[in-house]
């Protein structure tokens, strides 16, 4: 079964402390970078700017920030804690920790569904990014003309074969990495390349901020106008907080199950949250000043990144080269995120049904290709088809971010606060008393028990127009 990876990740000296058969992250840094690799992805670079543009800018960002602090972070800590305690996939973690006969494993099951919905559209967006790497290499995308850039993007998404084939390439790529195993595949790829993405983003920011007329973009990012904020906008901001931190569906439970016993969970989660936020803000600073300076449409949505980034690079020395690197690094960031999504069903299938990792991955990929095709074709053959007034692409996105992830987070916090209880939490987050962090634990527990569930419930009910 897991023979190939068995044992080899257990660092010397750690053997006595925990002889675990499960694949595990070998080092503390590996934990941080892999978790960060899951969090930082298209959510930061593509989705955050697109949604900020569509929902009015600064006010949306402020609501998003509040949701990140009061919802995203507590849910992330909860997931890491539960996963590490049970050392199982998400579904079995919840089943093991729940009192007899209480169906808390349903959280994990809903997460499995969310994983498929997210991957079905995420792999398509990643496909566009991969395609842009090649388009950039052939030198055909650099232009500051909004009409030209929108035509380039339109040609890609409206071609059914291009959309499908790029998605398949992405799925095969992710599948290959997953089959190589957790530690080897994930740690290696993410550790090296995230810092580079960071540096390149800063360079793009500098260019964007020094364009004539960049000031409008800064106002848009930092000058809040709350008049456009409605229930659905607040729900969208909360959904984005879940999505960007990879919480609410069991990814972080699964990753937590690979954490070392001495990992400081509150510190790790906080660092991941801050780094994830930094990348998003940088993406915003890279994109919005240029949007206004060059006369693009802020509310373009999914196409925003693909139209504006080539325009920024077109106005930069060496842009031809750097635009390739930019999309390449974005593709890599997206890869880290996708690995963490696909790892959820794969871990479950291997542990529950004792499927070899290879077969579990293949099965997952075939299902994803089928579901994903509906998202891939949402901009061409299926552009007239709508379900609940949305294309498949939008529906997958909406149902996962705005319904399943918040429900997952809600019940995880209820479980932690009201079922698992303070004593267990204290033991788990202090690493059995090794860490002196009782005040942080108390603060976390109060928020997770009362504030997070209440907030999620209110925002959900209001955003779905149930209140
Ligand atoms: N957070 C990732 C991003 O921003 C996407 C992601 C990875 C995700 N794993 C997840 C979203 C789990 C929700 C749940 O691109």
């Amino acid at each position: 079964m897991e023979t190939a990876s068995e044992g080899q990740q257990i660092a010397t000296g750690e053997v006595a402390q925990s002889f675990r058969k499960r694949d595990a992250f070998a080092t503390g840094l590996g934990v941080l970078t892999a978790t960060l690799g899951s969090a930082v992805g298209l959510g930061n670079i593509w989705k955050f700017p697109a949604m900020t543009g569509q929902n009015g800018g600064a006010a949306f960002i402020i609501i998003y920030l509040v949701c990140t602090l009061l919802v995203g972070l507590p849910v992330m800590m909860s997931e890491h804690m539960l996963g590490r305690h049970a050392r199982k996939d998400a579904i079995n973690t919840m089943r093991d920790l729940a009192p007899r006969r209480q169906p808390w494993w349903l959280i994990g099951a809903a997460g499995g569904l969310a994983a498929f919905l997210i991957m079905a559209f995420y792999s398509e967006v990643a496909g566009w990014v991969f395609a842009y790497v090649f388009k950039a290499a052939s030198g055909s995308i650099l232009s500051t003309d909004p009409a030209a850039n929108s035509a380039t993007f339109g040609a890609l998404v409206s071609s059914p074969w291009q959309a499908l084939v790029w998605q398949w390439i992405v799925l095969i790529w992710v599948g290959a990495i997953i089959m190589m195993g957790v530690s080897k595949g994930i740690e290696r790829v993410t550790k090296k390349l995230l810092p580079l993405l960071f540096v390149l983003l800063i360079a793009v920011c500098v260019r964007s901020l020094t364009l004539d007329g960049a000031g409008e973009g800064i106002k848009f990012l930092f000058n809040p106008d709350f008049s456009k904020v409605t229930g659905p906008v607040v729900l969208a901001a909360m959904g984005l907080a879940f999505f960007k931190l990879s919480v609410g569906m069991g990814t972080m439970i699964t990753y937590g199950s690979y954490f070392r016993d001495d990992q400081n969970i509150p510190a790790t989660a906080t660092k991941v949250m801050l780094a994830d936020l930094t990348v998003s803000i940088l993406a915003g600073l890279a994109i919005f000043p240029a949007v206004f300076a060059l006369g693009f449409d802020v509310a373009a949505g999914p196409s925003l990144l693909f139209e504006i980034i080539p325009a920024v690079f077109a106005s930069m020395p060496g842009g031809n080269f750097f635009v390739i690197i930019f999309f390449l690094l974005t593709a890599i960031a997206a890869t880290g995120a996708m690995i963490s999504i696909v790892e959820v069903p794969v871990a479950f299938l291997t542990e529950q049904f004792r499927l070899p990792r290879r077969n579990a991955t293949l099965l997952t990929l075939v299902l994803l290709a089928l579901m994903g095709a509906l998202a891939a074709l949402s901009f061409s053959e299926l552009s007239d088809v709508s379900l609940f007034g949305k294309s498949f692409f939008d529906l997958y996105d909406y149902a996962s971010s705005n319904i399943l992830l918040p429900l997952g987070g809600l019940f995880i916090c209820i479980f932690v606060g009201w079922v698992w209880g303070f004593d267990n939490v204290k033991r788990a987050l202090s690493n059995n008393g090794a860490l002196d962090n009782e005040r942080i634990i108390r603060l976390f527990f109060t928020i997770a028990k009362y504030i997070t569930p209440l907030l999620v419930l209110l925002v959900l009910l209001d955003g779905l127009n149930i209140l």
Side-chain angles (χ1 to χ4, degrees):
M1 246 204 9
E2 274 201 298
T3 39
S5 53
E6 228 173 71
Q8 73 196 23
Q9 279 83 13
I10 300 176
T12 33
E14 211 189 328
V15 179
Q17 172 202 9
S18 69
F19 187 76
R20 53 183 109 101
K21 287 221 306 279
R22 309 189 69 239
D23 211 354
F25 292 123
T27 62
L29 184 65
V31 168
L32 190 62
T33 48
T35 313
L36 203 57
S38 163
V40 175
L42 296 174
N44 307 62
I45 299 166
W46 165 75
K47 202 174 197 223
F48 175 80
M51 291 184 71
T52 303
Q54 286 175 317
N55 293 299
F60 179 81
I61 296 181
I62 291 173
I63 299 168
Y64 162 78
L65 277 176
V66 172
C67 292
T68 296
L69 282 178
L70 294 180
V71 178
L73 185 59
V75 177
M76 184 184 285
M77 285 171 55
S78 303
E79 290 197 26
H80 285 165
M81 172 179 81
L82 298 176
R84 184 178 67 179
H85 190 82
R87 296 235 178 264
K88 297 268 169 66
D89 64 87
I91 296 181
N92 281 307
T93 287
M94 294 316 294
R95 181 181 285 144
D96 271 20
L97 299 184
R100 270 170 63 91
R101 302 178 148 270
Q102 291 186 12
W104 291 97
W105 59 270
L106 283 169
I107 296 176
L113 176 61
F116 278 99
L117 293 175
I118 292 173
M119 264 308 278
F121 78 90
Y122 203 98
S123 57
E124 180 54 25
V125 182
W128 300 339
V129 173
F130 279 41
Y132 262 61
V133 174
F134 286 86
K135 280 177 189 287
S138 72
S140 59
I141 58 171
L142 283 199
S143 152
T144 49
D145 174 15
N149 290 3
S150 133
T152 308
F153 181 73
L156 171 66
V157 300
S158 65
S159 152
W161 280 112
Q162 287 201 52
L164 283 174
V165 170
W166 283 113
Q167 183 175 48
W168 294 338
I169 291 173
V170 168
L171 290 174
I172 292 168
W173 161 246
V174 171
I177 298 176
I178 288 271
M179 281 185 205
M180 297 190 318
V182 178
S183 172
K184 274 184 288 170
I186 303 178
E187 281 188 39
R188 225 180 260 170
V189 180
T190 46
K191 211 181 282 185
K192 307 236 165 77
L193 293 160
L194 277 180
L196 256 158
L197 176 65
F198 195 76
V199 171
L200 194 64
L201 261 180
I202 292 181
V204 182
C205 285
V206 171
R207 170 71 276 210
S208 186
L209 287 166
T210 49
L211 288 168
D212 266 349
E216 275 304 301
I218 302 186
K219 245 197 239 148
F220 181 77
L221 277 177
F222 296 108
N223 215 349
D225 165 15
F226 282 94
S227 68
K228 293 197 190 87
V229 174
T230 59
V233 170
V234 178
L235 177 58
M238 187 175 79
L240 181 64
F242 275 99
F243 185 89
K244 252 165 44 64
L245 292 178
S246 311
V247 296
M249 72 165 238
T251 282
M252 290 301 175
I253 295 182
T254 309
Y255 271 38
S257 77
Y258 305 130
F259 277 20
R260 289 156 44 119
D261 292 327
D262 59 358
Q263 186 81 21
N264 184 339
I265 289 178
T268 304
T270 307
K271 281 184 211 160
V272 169
M273 183 275 289
L274 289 175
D276 178 79
L277 187 63
T278 311
V279 176
S280 303
I281 299 292
L282 281 182
L285 283 173
I287 288 176
F288 288 106
V291 166
F292 286 92
L294 302 173
F296 281 77
D297 174 14
V298 258
S303 65
L304 184 68
L305 176 76
F306 298 92
E307 296 184 13
I308 198 73
I309 285 296
V312 180
F313 281 108
S315 62
M316 224 166 137
N320 247 327
F321 171 69
F322 286 112
V323 75
I324 304 175
I325 306 291
F326 180 89
F327 281 109
L328 196 64
L329 292 174
T330 304
I332 289 160
T335 302
M338 287 189 288
I339 289 168
S340 75
I341 305 175
V342 178
E343 183 64 27
V344 172
V346 169
F348 172 68
L349 291 171
T350 41
E351 282 171 33
Q352 182 71 25
F353 301 109
R354 313 225 159 258
L355 282 186
R357 200 168 165 86
R358 216 187 130 82
N359 297 2
T361 310
L362 284 176
L363 182 64
T364 306
L365 288 189
V366 170
L367 277 171
L368 282 176
L370 292 174
M371 283 174 66
L374 297 174
L377 299 177
S378 287
F379 303 90
S380 51
E381 305 292 304
L382 301 178
S383 59
D384 298 332
V385 180
S386 76
L387 212 62
F388 305 107
K390 291 182 165 32
S391 67
F392 280 102
F393 183 95
D394 290 339
L395 188 67
Y396 289 160
D397 182 5
Y398 189 89
S400 51
S401 279
N402 292 9
I403 299 174
L404 288 173
L405 299 182
L407 281 178
L410 173 67
F411 285 108
I412 286 169
C413 285
I414 292 179
F415 178 80
V416 165
W418 300 86
V419 179
W420 218 45
F422 185 72
D423 290 339
N424 280 321
V425 169
K426 189 176 155 199
R427 225 170 295 131
L429 287 184
S430 69
N431 300 349
N432 272 322
L435 298 174
D436 178 21
N437 56 356
E438 174 144 2
R439 282 178 54 196
I440 292 173
I441 296 176
R442 282 195 187 279
L443 178 65
F444 156 76
F445 191 76
T446 309
I447 293 176
K449 182 170 183 178
Y450 303 103
I451 299 180
T452 311
L454 204 65
L455 206 64
V456 174
L457 201 63
L458 284 176
V459 173
L460 253 180
L461 293 178
D462 189 42
L464 299 173
N465 285 323
I466 300 174
L467 270 190

